[in-house]
Amino acid sequence: MDEISSWEEIENDQFFKQLLDVDSKKTDVNSLLSVAQQLNKLGQAITVLNTELQRQVLANHEDLLSQATWVEKLEGVLFVMQSHIQSLLSAVERLRGKIVDPFNRIEMQTIVLARLHETSDLLRRVARMQHLSKRLNSQMNSINQGPDIVKAANSLHELEQLMADTDLNGLDVIADDQQAVKAQRATVQRIATHTLTQGLQAMDRTKVSTAVQVFQNLGIIKEAVDTTIESTLAEIEKISRESLDVSLAMNQDFGKRGAPGRAAIPSPGSSGNLRVRIWENLERLFQDTLYTQCLQIELLQRILLEHHTKGFQDLSEKFWDKVNVLLAKVLIERAQGSSFVKQALEGEYPKVLRIFLDLSKRLKERSHNIGIYSIDHNVLLPFKNAYLSRSVSRLLDPVHNMFPGERLPTHDEIDSLIRTITNELSVSLVDDGLSTVVSHNVGKAIRLFCLKCEQNMVAGAEASQVIDSPTAGQQTNVTLANLLHYFSSQTNRVIVNLAGGLPSEGSLMITSVLKETDVFTETCLLVPLLSSINDAIESIILTMHDDPEFRDTSSPLGKEIGCSLYMRELQGFILRSVNTFLLPYKNQAVVAESCKTVASRCIELFVRHACLLRPLTDFGRAKLLVDFAQMEIAVMPLCRGGHMSLLEQQQYRTLRALKTFLPLGPEEMVEKVLEGQGESSVPPSLILLHLFSGAPPELASPHQSAGWSVGRLSQWMDGHPSERDRLALCSGPLERYQLTIRQQNLPSFHSLFPQMMKLANLKEHSSQ
């Protein structure tokens, strides 16, 4: 075994590490060494350590001596400090004795003083309470005098404050007074409640003000107002239910009850009395109960605000809202519980609404808060919807029943529908909103009537022929148009009679729908017929081109000239068409308006074809002038407004102006057109077409140049109303004529050519 020679070896040796490090978890080496070896190692280690200690002492002996000297000095200093501390503790103990004892005596005296103060205050409160209790007793004894109740409330308020500030429970001296205060408070509250009730019922401001002041002094004003509102609503609910209680109304009506277990069934003839009873009850409910209760609550609100009580600025409004909710609930419950009540409320909804509106109107007249008593239509909404549904059925069902199969309705059936419309509108006048909705329903009935008439209308050639006598289909259309006119005029009369009460929106809506009947008569019934009349008129006018008298050169100018055959035919046809096909229509306003277009078309075609006649001799010109005068007679049957209605038409002014142009020579015609350009009633294209009638064969008319017939040219002019286009069409033949003359190297143009070119050149400046 190696010997140990230094303390570093002791530190690194595994055996000593186990002894030095108690937490070592290394392998135990004690089992590898014997006991003698272990003792030997320990001995060597001790020897090494002793040697090391001696060496350190020898090396540092001066420092060790110095430290030992200072230790002795320190012990001396500590001894001196201990003596000083002992002296300080003795002084502190003496000072403590001088302070603690006086403090304890002062603390004790303070506690005694506080208790004396509390006792004094308690005695003062007890004395004040006893004094107030005595005064309250005297006030309660004379409370019937009126104002003493306010004083009693003041005393109670002060007493309750005294009792609340200090716990006085358990004091025998005031126990009786406390019990008396509780009893007297209940008495004062009961009297104040009674006073408030009496004051509201009598609308006595003094009593209500007194009660409000008492409740304020008692600190229960909110609870008192809430109780008043609840009791008022309960009373309204009770009366509302009784008003719509069928069994109660029957018992009141018949004066006796049914046998036990039997339902109360109205006897024959009693339903009317029962209905009258229910409506009387509803009148009393709204006009008496609700009216009175609303005014009472409003009086209470005004007095509360006069007393500067906060939180009640909208008391009446909240009460009115609660009344509406309550009425809605009661009415719906009663309607669900009794089919009789349901039928009454739904079938006569306008009467319920009128009662409600009358209540609102009366309240607004008497109330200072006008804006709060507006009608909440949601209260009666279920009954309104049911009523409007029945109203629609009452209006539409008669219309459906008027047209069974192919039979047309009679005047009696239409009168029945008019009476229904009148009744529905009259009943709805209680409210503008209801009237407007009913007016829309009336509009639906009118549209349905028009639709039914349209479905029964006869169309096709049978309805538009104007050659033979009126067909059965045309007679049917006339009957439908007359029924529509009768229905429209009668309904308009109803609207005029109800003009004072029917709202403008509803009146305008019905009036606009009624105008659709005139539109239907015009577009569906008259337009096809008038179109056939126009076609026939054009066919007759076209025959003037086949009349040889316009080209007659043998007849002298002095010969008496009569009306042309085509003009006689035209006059006869128009007169027969008006008398046979148009006069049966009773809606002559629509017929006259439609006939104006036919008259305008007739004049336009006559003037156009009169300018297209070629050749036209002097005798033919004179005959044409006679036809111009006869044309005014021909269209007179189409103008029921008389001659003045004709003057309003541009075509008639053209007819009269062209009549003055015909006797003139070409130069004068052109000069007048050029002078009056933009003001003349005769379009330049018509004068230019007329000048072709005297032109040489080389100068072909526009339709001849284009290879058209006269009818084809007329159709082209219908499609090209622009004066520029018409003048351009006429310029083509003039340009070809000019080219022909130049190619043939002829010395001059025809005398009409320069005048015609003046008119043709107007296309450069024409905008129409």
Side-chain angles (χ1 to χ4, degrees):
M1 178 182 302
D2 297 333
E3 292 184 357
I4 299 173
S5 59
S6 65
W7 62 271
E8 290 87 353
E9 294 179 359
I10 295 173
E11 186 178 7
N12 296 326
D13 189 271
Q14 294 295 327
F15 171 74
F16 290 110
K17 283 183 178 180
Q18 292 184 117
L19 299 177
L20 296 174
D21 190 2
V22 296
D23 297 328
S24 178
K25 297 182 180 179
K26 295 181 179 180
T27 305
D28 187 9
V29 297
N30 293 337
S31 59
L32 302 177
L33 300 175
S34 63
V35 175
Q37 290 176 335
Q38 293 179 9
L39 291 174
N40 186 28
K41 289 181 74 68
L42 288 173
Q44 292 178 3
I46 291 172
T47 301
V48 171
L49 291 175
N50 285 333
T51 303
E52 183 64 26
L53 284 173
Q54 291 176 2
R55 189 180 65 82
Q56 290 291 336
V57 169
L58 288 174
N60 301 297
H61 67 280
E62 292 181 357
D63 294 336
L64 292 175
L65 288 175
S66 176
Q67 290 178 0
T69 302
W70 279 105
V71 168
E72 291 178 357
K73 291 180 180 181
L74 181 60
E75 287 178 352
V77 172
L78 289 176
F79 179 77
V80 173
M81 290 299 298
Q82 185 176 7
S83 62
H84 288 318
I85 290 172
Q86 290 297 328
S87 299
L88 180 61
L89 289 176
S90 299
V92 170
E93 188 65 26
R94 287 192 302 271
L95 182 60
R96 180 177 179 276
K98 293 180 180 181
I99 294 176
V100 171
D101 292 339
F103 173 78
N104 290 335
R105 288 193 299 270
I106 292 174
E107 184 179 23
M108 182 61 66
Q109 290 174 0
T110 302
I111 293 173
V112 171
L113 181 61
R115 290 175 179 174
L116 287 174
H117 179 72
E118 291 177 359
T119 303
S120 175
D121 185 64
L122 182 61
L123 291 174
R124 181 181 60 80
R125 292 177 182 274
V126 169
R128 178 62 179 169
M129 184 174 178
Q130 289 178 338
H131 172 71
L132 291 174
S133 180
K134 291 179 181 179
R135 188 172 69 180
L136 179 61
N137 289 332
S138 63
Q139 292 168 347
M140 294 298 293
N141 292 333
S142 60
I143 203 168
N144 293 329
Q145 296 180 4
D148 284 342
I149 189 175
V150 179
K151 297 179 180 179
N154 288 330
S155 299
L156 281 170
H157 180 64
E158 189 174 353
L159 280 168
E160 289 177 345
Q161 284 185 331
L162 290 172
M163 294 169 61
D165 291 343
T166 305
D167 187 8
L168 301 178
N169 293 329
L171 294 179
D172 295 338
V173 69
I174 60 171
D176 294 338
D177 292 331
Q178 288 178 322
Q179 294 297 326
V181 167
K182 293 180 180 179
Q184 289 163 350
R185 176 185 173 85
T187 301
V188 170
Q189 185 174 346
R190 183 177 65 255
I191 294 174
T193 302
H194 182 67
T195 302
L196 178 61
T197 303
Q198 285 185 331
L200 291 176
Q201 291 177 351
M203 299 296 289
D204 189 335
R205 295 178 58 88
T206 303
K207 288 186 176 182
V208 176
S209 180
T210 300
V212 168
Q213 190 172 355
V214 170
F215 287 128
Q216 280 183 323
N217 291 336
L218 294 178
I220 57 171
I221 184 65
K222 186 178 185 305
E223 292 79 0
V225 173
D226 291 342
T227 301
T228 302
I229 296 294
E230 291 175 1
S231 62
T232 302
L233 291 173
E235 180 69 15
I236 293 174
E237 183 174 5
K238 176 185 175 183
I239 298 176
S240 301
R241 293 185 182 279
E242 291 177 352
S243 299
L244 295 172
D245 192 338
V246 177
S247 60
L248 180 61
M250 290 175 59
N251 291 331
Q252 291 175 349
D253 201 16
F254 306 130
K256 61 181 181 179
R257 296 181 178 273
R262 294 184 180 178
I265 302 175
S267 60
S270 65
S271 296
N273 296 332
L274 181 57
R275 187 181 293 271
V276 171
R277 174 80 64 178
I278 288 178
W279 287 115
E280 290 176 351
N281 291 342
L282 285 176
E283 287 277 0
R284 284 193 296 270
L285 169 65
F286 280 84
Q287 303 306 326
D288 294 340
T289 303
L290 293 178
Y291 176 72
T292 303
Q293 299 290 5
C294 288
L295 292 183
Q296 290 176 2
I297 297 302
E298 188 173 348
L299 173 63
L300 176 59
Q301 178 184 349
R302 289 201 301 271
I303 293 177
L304 286 169
L305 296 179
E306 289 174 1
H307 284 79
H308 305 289
T309 307
K310 296 181 179 180
F312 298 102
Q313 291 81 359
D314 54 353
L315 180 64
S316 297
E317 184 175 358
K318 290 181 179 179
F319 176 74
W320 179 249
D321 293 339
K322 291 179 180 179
V323 168
N324 283 322
V325 173
L326 177 62
L327 287 176
K329 182 182 72 171
V330 173
L331 291 174
I332 291 175
E333 288 179 356
R334 285 306 188 195
Q336 292 175 346
S338 170
S339 59
F340 186 85
V341 174
K342 183 178 181 181
Q343 292 174 0
L345 296 178
E346 292 180 352
E348 299 185 64
Y349 163 76
K351 185 180 290 187
V352 187
L353 181 60
R354 178 189 58 78
I355 297 174
F356 209 164
L357 290 170
D358 289 345
L359 170 63
S360 176
K361 182 179 180 181
R362 288 185 64 195
L363 287 173
K364 290 179 179 179
E365 290 174 352
R366 286 288 304 273
S367 171
H368 297 280
N369 301 323
I370 297 178
I372 68 173
Y373 295 113
S374 300
I375 293 297
D376 184 1
H377 290 274
N378 292 328
V379 174
L380 305 176
L381 185 59
F383 311 109
K384 176 183 178 180
N385 293 336
Y387 173 80
L388 292 176
S389 177
R390 295 181 181 181
S391 175
V392 170
S393 298
R394 287 193 293 268
L395 290 169
L396 298 184
D397 289 347
V399 180
H400 286 292
N401 297 332
M402 282 184 190
F403 295 88
E406 298 180 356
R407 184 181 70 82
L408 299 181
T410 63
H411 279 73
D412 291 338
E413 291 174 327
I414 294 178
D415 290 338
S416 177
L417 176 60
I418 295 298
R419 286 193 294 271
T420 302
I421 291 175
T422 304
N423 181 64
E424 293 296 325
L425 291 175
S426 300
V427 171
S428 71
L429 295 180
V430 297
D431 179 60
D432 288 350
L434 179 62
S435 296
T436 302
V437 177
V438 173
S439 298
H440 281 281
N441 293 340
V442 171
K444 293 179 182 178
I446 296 173
R447 287 194 176 96
L448 179 62
F449 189 86
C450 291
L451 177 62
K452 291 291 185 179
C453 290
E454 184 177 358
Q455 292 173 349
N456 285 270
M457 180 189 72
V458 178
E462 180 185 1
S464 60
Q465 69 86 26
V466 291
I467 305 302
D468 296 330
S469 300
T471 63
Q474 288 176 322
Q475 293 175 354
T476 299
N477 289 346
V478 170
T479 302
L480 288 173
N482 292 339
L483 289 175
L484 277 170
H485 177 62
Y486 178 76
F487 177 60
S488 176
S489 60
Q490 294 299 105
T491 306
N492 269 319
R493 183 179 301 175
V494 172
I495 301 304
V496 172
N497 293 336
L498 298 177
L502 195 65
S504 57
E505 181 181 354
S507 178
L508 290 174
M509 198 281 301
I510 296 177
T511 303
S512 63
V513 175
L514 287 175
K515 290 180 181 178
E516 296 179 8
T517 61
D518 293 342
V519 174
F520 171 77
T521 300
E522 180 180 357
T523 58
C524 297
L525 301 178
L526 287 176
V527 168
L529 185 63
L530 295 177
S531 179
S532 297
I533 293 176
N534 279 331
D535 293 341
I537 288 174
E538 185 171 9
S539 299
I540 294 173
I541 291 176
L542 277 172
T543 60
M544 73 164 60
H545 296 282
D546 300 328
D547 192 341
E549 292 187 353
F550 289 115
R551 307 177 184 88
D552 190 3
T553 58
S554 60
S555 298
L557 290 178
K559 178 182 177 182
E560 182 179 356
I561 302 174
C563 180
S564 300
L565 293 178
Y566 79 91
M567 183 58 66
R568 292 177 184 174
E569 182 182 0
L570 179 63
Q571 292 175 349
F573 172 76
I574 291 177
L575 182 62
R576 184 177 65 85
S577 297
V578 171
N579 293 333
T580 304
F581 296 101
L582 299 180
L583 276 182
Y585 286 92
K586 294 183 179 180
N587 192 351
Q588 286 299 306
V590 175
V591 172
E593 193 64 29
S594 300
C595 287
K596 285 183 180 180
T597 60
V598 178
S600 298
R601 176 64 174 170
C602 180
I603 294 173
E604 180 184 14
L605 290 173
F606 171 74
V607 169
R608 178 185 300 171
H609 288 281
C611 292
L612 290 173
L613 285 173
R614 184 175 180 179
L616 183 64
T617 63
D618 292 339
F619 178 80
R621 190 183 307 275
K623 188 174 181 62
L624 188 60
L625 286 172
V626 174
D627 290 344
F628 266 78
Q630 293 295 322
M631 189 63 194
E632 296 184 30
I633 300 174
V635 297
M636 273 299 172
L638 293 170
C639 301
R640 294 293 176 182
H643 191 69
M644 292 302 297
S645 64
L646 277 177
L647 295 178
E648 299 173 359
Q649 301 179 24
Q650 175 64 32
Q651 289 78 5
Y652 180 75
R653 291 195 292 271
T654 301
L655 174 71
R656 298 294 296 270
L658 187 59
K659 183 180 178 181
T660 62
F661 272 63
L662 289 179
L664 303 177
E667 293 82 2
E668 294 179 280
M669 282 188 187
V670 173
E671 184 178 356
K672 290 193 66 173
V673 171
L674 295 177
E675 289 177 355
Q677 185 180 359
E679 299 179 0
S680 175
S681 297
V682 181
S685 61
L686 287 180
I687 299 299
L688 184 55
L689 288 173
H690 173 67
L691 292 178
F692 276 101
S693 64
E698 303 87 43
L699 182 54
S701 296
H703 64 283
Q704 295 171 341
S705 177
W708 294 346
S709 64
V710 177
R712 172 74 182 278
L713 176 61
S714 179
Q715 292 178 358
W716 183 90
M717 295 179 71
D718 289 337
H720 297 78
S722 171
E723 192 68 12
R724 180 190 298 272
D725 294 341
R726 293 182 178 184
L727 290 174
L729 178 68
C730 296
S731 298
L734 293 175
E735 293 173 356
R736 282 191 287 273
Y737 172 73
Q738 185 179 19
L739 181 61
T740 301
I741 295 299
R742 289 176 178 174
Q743 289 176 349
Q744 294 178 1
N745 200 20
L746 296 178
S748 62
F749 296 102
H750 190 274
S751 60
L752 283 177
F753 178 76
Q755 306 299 326
M756 297 173 73
M757 285 301 296
K758 292 179 182 179
L759 295 178
N761 291 333
L762 291 177
K763 68 178 183 295
E764 306 294 336
H765 310 286
S766 177
S767 61
Q768 295 182 351

